[in-house]
Amino acid sequence: MKRTIRTTVVTVGALIAALGLPAGPAHADPVPRIDLRVLVVSDGGPSTDAIAAELAAAGTPYTTVDLTQPGRTVIDAGFLADTVDSRPRAKFQAVVLPDDNPFPAGSAEMAALAAYERTYDIPQVDAYTYARPEAGLQYPVDGGYAGSLDGRQAQVTAAGRSGPFGYLDGAVPFEDNDPSVGESWAYLSRPAAGADFTPYVEAAIPGRTATGTLVGEYRHDGRRELVVTFVYNRYQQQFRLLARGIVEWMTGGVHLGASRNYFSVHVDDVFAADDRWNSTLDCTPGDVDCTDPNATPDPIRMTAADVDHAAAWQNSKDFTLDFAYNGAGSVDHREDNGGRDPLADRLIARRGEFRWINHTYSHPFLGCVQDISVVPWKCATDTDGSIRWTSRNDISDEIAVNRVWGQIAGLPLVNDELVTGEHSGMKVLPQQPQDNPHLAPALGDNGIAWLGSDNSREPAQRRVGPATTVPRHPMNVFYNAGRAAEQVDEYNWIYTSRAQGGSGICEDNPGTTTCLPAPLDTATGYAGHIVPLETRIALGHALSNDPKPHFIHQSNLAEDRIAYPVLDGVLDGYRALFTDDTPLVNPRMRDIGAELKRRGDWRAALGAGQVTAYRVGTTVSVDAPSGLAVTATLPAGSTLRGAAFGQAYAGAVSGWTASGSTPLVFTLPASAAPVADAATGRAKVTRPAPRTRVPAGVTDPRTRVPAGVTLPQARVPAGVTDPVGHSADG
């Protein structure tokens, strides 16, 4: 059980009444306790939302005060600080504001925040602010710039690389995904005269040789602010690149939660063949919905040369693919070819170079029995109207026989992982709104603990009997395409209008963001449109602390080998942006599942108020339910129970550790001790902020997204089913 900490709110003395400096010598004051929680003050805009999303994804506790909501919490001294067991307590380790001062002139709330930040040396992030002297910067009209940064490239300064953004190699490219849409807006300027301001990220001022700051630290009045002068949302690459540094700056590198960049790729249907898209029929012969009587399946299957290419590619990228295999594919091929199967021979010979996942023996549909007499198919029923299901024995045989086949072939298997064909057995809307009731028992029969699912259909992890799902991102590189031209043809059919010969899915779901204004050229559309888009989407997942694997198919490694340009784009693009101590993490399926499960348990405990964490000097204490895996990010050299804590990543250490019957106590290195004024024990006070007003005729737009600037949100809007999930056969 979680221990209860007695809290007494002190209402006397200057500390709480005005959050001023205490009377008496500094040595008489106990070192304050700083709770490991962030205060996010939101105006409903995308920038504070983006920072909150970053904290949530990492598992870092935060409290939101929404300035747009009536009856909201008032920010005052009692809300910000109190005393616990005779020790002053700061309830928040950092403050995030929409801009440098979102309150009305003379606001008591801003005064309380400023006093709080001075007293406890609490840093403040200005999520998106106008460049002005109150933020330590010149106005952009004074030789700076106000406008779009679409397609431009910013750079981390030397101070940024030696400070909070040291995980970046230097470049911070700004997206330009649609030339007809404004996607970014920024104010570029130089530090104001006399301001104690350190630029961390800069960009060239258009039309000039000078640069202007986009992110920098402003020190004034005994306070520290991270000033950000460009607008962003949680999905844009420029924010994703800088998000880690923003959090590390505001927390001093000491916080609950952790973040890494992940990328894993599952290749389904290995040993089997995938049926090819027919450009004349606009369907895939062999698929249940391609009912033309003249349709003849045209299989796509890897060759031995494709295996050698895959192995060589892995070695060149320091990356490992996960092969989800179907043993019947090789058995059938040998039966049809006099016992010969060069593909299987080569795969088995090089089996130790890949990771392997059971994908069932013959890749059948394991849900309801499909009635394919209608399009789209429906679940077959018995005479009493009950659904006919694939039996427990049939499901179990598919799992067990494939496992035995793999063991005989010497594949290095992990037997508790499974991906069913098309993710079948689990619910498939609209035809099958529930799991096959025989699936869970069959999983138990075979000791399956981790079950692959389709993230475009079920993004949340869930239990299926004894197994826990591992949602996988489908890539828009289709299972039924081995050549670039047929990939483009199918892409055109899916994402163009009916008048253009397409499926009309975009007319039915106009929010789908992959829709095309006109068909792509089949000769150039893959390299020119699809590859850059899919690269950006997959890299966006990798930069979002998202460990979920992506999946493609063996057909994409055959013939034109169309998967590699996308994979190269992700891996090469990533390595051009990050330092060597911030690698892409490439876990296998069960490790991904365990990570997602730990995160779910952690979020639940945070939401229930079961975790208390705070810092006193160089000691961090975390009190959590016994057995809960606790996650934290700390400076390199931190210890737990006298032993080194965590794994090194991005210049820090982080990881999971189980809580016990007593609080976890971490010790930070001496270099992480707070810097204090020798006379007062408090943060040093620097020169005051300039009080210059906005010049006449200059509008201060710091809290608004300028007219004409559109910030794209998600690739697939809420409520819209991603068509990729339907065309990417699992």
Side-chain angles (χ1 to χ4, degrees), residues 508-550:
D508 299 337
N509 301 281
T512 305
T513 57
T514 41
C515 297
L516 297 170
L520 302 173
D521 187 321
T522 55
T524 62
Y526 187 65
H529 180 88
I530 298 174
V531 168
L533 177 59
E534 288 306 303
T535 297
R536 176 168 60 84
I537 292 168
L539 184 56
H541 295 153
L543 300 183
S544 299
N545 191 25
D546 181 356
K548 295 175 182 176
H550 294 73

Side-chain angles (χ1 to χ4, degrees), residues 371-583:
D371 178 356
I372 61 173
S373 65
V374 293
V375 177
W377 63 269
K378 65 180 182 179
C379 288
T381 57
D382 290 324
T383 54
D384 62 358
S386 60
I387 295 175
R388 294 171 57 195
W389 298 102
T390 302
S391 71
R392 174 176 176 173
N393 284 342
D394 287 347
I395 298 172
S396 186
D397 285 350
E398 280 289 331
I399 301 169
V401 172
N402 202 49
R403 177 184 292 167
V404 170
W405 187 92
Q407 290 170 337
I408 292 172
L411 303 183
L413 299 178
V414 172
N415 287 329
D416 59 357
E417 299 176 338
L418 175 70
V419 177
T420 58
E422 300 180 65
H423 305 102
S424 60
M426 290 176 282
K427 59 184 178 181
V428 179
L429 298 176
Q431 294 103 320
Q432 183 190 312
Q434 66 183 92
D435 295 340
N436 182 341
H438 303 307
L439 175 63
L443 298 177
D445 294 341
N446 291 276
I448 301 301
W450 306 107
L451 177 65
S453 63
D454 187 338
N455 187 76
S456 69
R457 296 169 178 166
E458 291 193 83
Q461 192 176 43
R462 67 180 178 95
R463 297 280 292 182
V464 180
T468 303
T469 61
V470 180
R472 308 190 304 162
H473 290 294
M475 300 188 83
N476 235 350
V477 181
F478 302 137
Y479 79 96
N480 49 6
R483 304 185 183 108
E486 60 202 23
Q487 161 79 20
V488 175
D489 183 85
E490 183 176 4
Y491 198 93
N492 284 339
W493 181 79
I494 294 173
Y495 295 120
T496 56
S497 67
R498 293 182 178 89
Q500 295 169 323
S503 68
I505 196 168
C506 290
E507 294 160 280
D508 299 337
N509 301 281
T512 305
T513 57
T514 41
C515 297
L516 297 170
L520 302 173
D521 187 321
T522 55
T524 62
Y526 187 65
H529 180 88
I530 298 174
V531 168
L533 177 59
E534 288 306 303
T535 297
R536 176 168 60 84
I537 292 168
L539 184 56
H541 295 153
L543 300 183
S544 299
N545 191 25
D546 181 356
K548 295 175 182 176
H550 294 73
F551 71 95
I552 55 175
H553 296 80
Q554 63 83 34
S555 52
N556 308 141
L557 304 186
E559 299 181 348
D560 286 355
R561 299 170 177 166
I562 61 176
Y564 291 109
V566 176
L567 303 183
D568 287 340
V570 174
L571 296 175
D572 295 346
Y574 181 88
R575 286 166 183 157
L577 295 169
F578 289 86
T579 56
D580 291 343
D581 69 352
T582 313

Side-chain angles (χ1 to χ4, degrees), residues 238-258:
Q238 53 265 33
F239 171 71
R240 295 259 39 95
L241 292 173
L242 298 172
R244 177 186 301 277
I246 292 172
V247 172
E248 294 310 296
W249 181 89
M250 77 166 84
T251 63
V254 178
H255 61 87
L256 295 180

